[in-house]
Amino acid sequence: RPSLRSFAFASHESVTMGFGDWCKKAPIVSQVWSFGQACSGDMKGAAETQEIFSKRCPVVSQLRSLTEAAMGDDLAARRTQEEYWDQNIGRIYDGKIKREVCEMIDKMNIQPNSSSEVPLAELAQMARDVYDLDKGNEITSTPPEGWRIDRLFRFYSYVHVKRAIYKNDAKKLAVLAFKGTGDNADLYSDLREIVFRKAPFQEVMANYAQEVKQLQDDGFKVLVTGHSLGGYVAELVASHMRQPGCGFCAPGTGKSARDWPNKSECGFVYVNFWNDNIGNVFKTLHAQGGAWVRRTDTSNCHAIREMCDRMKQQPELTNQNLLQHCKEECDSNSWYQIVQPSRCKGELRTGQLLAILADQKSSRLDIGKAKNGNQHESWATRLCFQRLDGPSTGPVCFEHVVKIVGTNGKRLDIGPAFAHVNHESWATRLRIVRKDLKEGPIHYGEEVGIFGENNERLDIGPACAEANHESWATRFYIVPK
């Protein structure tokens, strides 16, 4: 059983950060610290401590982010999430734990699987039926046609999620279905994995990896699914082991997911209700592509039964074709695509029509909010690309993660100049032109200008950050239109 110590970050953080930093985000200590600053006349320092506390304290930061999102300020909500991650979990999980998990999975030689396809109606039914384990030791609901229940994991644990394995012997497919929140153990998992942003412990991920590996050794292609907490765990497993499937009404996994170069190509998607205050926590931090669906009833909905009913209305939808069926508009009762990670490759060439997407792929550069005349020359319009996920040499390619830098070293930050990923206008459909106006591929370090379709030129002066500033708004993917 967990102790109070398992809920505290201090045991980890005191080793990895300064005492002052820890004091500014600890619930009680931060207030004493701020009061002391105010009493000494340092009102600016006291206000800064309160700001840090509200962004870095585990529960308070999530309440702040949810409030910002509810008020329509998605940019502020995302920045709060980023600071919380970078100052807490990122320091712990991105280090030893994540490295050990990745190395362990790599040694098991699990085969990537990006092609297996199952109707979303069947996956949703499995994600619903696995909740039967809260009522007893068996799943009493009848499996989807062609499927059978092969194995159940019923044990009550504070670190494991109850789950079931479904098999389709005719198609040689197996689905690992994770159960969502239903008892105290699941509530603890919610706190540990979603609120406190800690991925499953190494031994838990090892168990899931062993189950996937055993199914593959038995000749089955593996998919994963789940609802809520179960969908969150399914997305983690999908990203770490490159397996397809679908998560329903699940929060985003953020940096807990493995950062594969082409992590979007594993055939996993998520589906959330548009008005789901639970499933849409960390909605911009999913590791894979997905969609929201609107309902005629605008009240909050997180129920897997209603999701099952909706899936049955569109039996043609699968984990492989969902994004192709999505609509861009938010029409009542229609599917709405919010993220479709880039699957494009190749070199970026002069004059090619393209879009510049932020790191989370839910926003894109809109130069209507940061532009100047097409003849204007300054450090803010004379730009170059630098690669972030590899050496900054050779041609710029679509699959690269890049930053865009002015001649004075400051970099583009689209926080003040972003639009929704599906927004189309002259200001989001862009072309890049070399300084010498020559045709051909764009190379790293080469001076360029970025123009909209109406020839307005990007000026990063109103939308820039310091050279070392790292966030979703300063890391980019470029995709062709």
Side-chain angles (χ1 to χ4, degrees), residues 126 143-151 165-170 172-175 220:
M126 296 175 194
E145 185 177 355
W147 294 87
R148 63 180 176 86
I149 299 173
D150 179 70
R151 201 181 335 162
I165 294 177
Y166 288 80
K167 284 185 176 180
N168 187 314
D169 297 299
K172 300 301 289 183
L173 294 175
V175 174
F220 287 84

Side-chain angles (χ1 to χ4, degrees), residues 79-109:
R79 285 181 169 170
T80 298
Q81 294 293 347
E82 284 178 357
E83 180 155 351
Y84 174 70
W85 177 277
D86 291 338
Q87 298 299 324
N88 289 295
I89 292 82
R91 298 187 178 211
I92 303 168
Y93 186 73
D94 282 350
K96 181 180 178 182
I97 295 178
K98 188 171 184 177
R99 184 170 61 252
E100 289 179 353
V101 169
C102 294
E103 290 174 354
M104 175 269 297
I105 292 174
D106 289 344
K107 290 178 181 178
M108 298 182 71
N109 294 319

Side-chain angles (χ1 to χ4, degrees), residues 150-180:
D150 179 70
R151 201 181 335 162
L152 300 175
F153 299 86
R154 315 176 184 86
F155 47 80
Y156 185 87
S157 169
Y158 280 93
V159 293
H160 291 83
V161 175
K162 294 179 182 178
R163 56 203 183 277
I165 294 177
Y166 288 80
K167 284 185 176 180
N168 187 314
D169 297 299
K171 297 180 178 180
K172 300 301 289 183
L173 294 175
V175 174
L176 187 56
F178 296 95
K179 188 183 74 66

Side-chain angles (χ1 to χ4, degrees), residues 151-220:
R151 201 181 335 162
L152 300 175
F153 299 86
R154 315 176 184 86
F155 47 80
Y156 185 87
S157 169
Y158 280 93
V159 293
H160 291 83
V161 175
K162 294 179 182 178
R163 56 203 183 277
I165 294 177
Y166 288 80
K167 284 185 176 180
N168 187 314
D169 297 299
K171 297 180 178 180
K172 300 301 289 183
L173 294 175
V175 174
L176 187 56
F178 296 95
K179 188 183 74 66
T181 305
D183 52 32
N184 291 336
D186 300 327
L187 180 59
Y188 172 68
S189 293
D190 279 335
L191 291 172
R192 176 174 51 80
E193 296 176 15
I194 299 175
V195 175
F196 289 96
R197 309 298 288 162
K198 287 187 176 181
F201 301 132
Q202 295 97 313
E203 60 268 25
V204 178
M205 288 297 286
N207 284 344
Y208 299 158
Q210 289 169 0
E211 291 161 16
V212 172
K213 178 62 175 174
Q214 183 60 57
L215 290 167
Q216 289 186 344
D217 291 344
D218 292 341
F220 287 84

Side-chain angles (χ1 to χ4, degrees), residues 294-308:
R294 276 189 179 274
R295 302 162 57 244
T296 52
D297 179 2
T298 58
S299 62
N300 181 65
C301 183
H302 184 66
I304 183 60
R305 291 190 179 278
E306 184 157 346
M307 181 64 76
C308 283

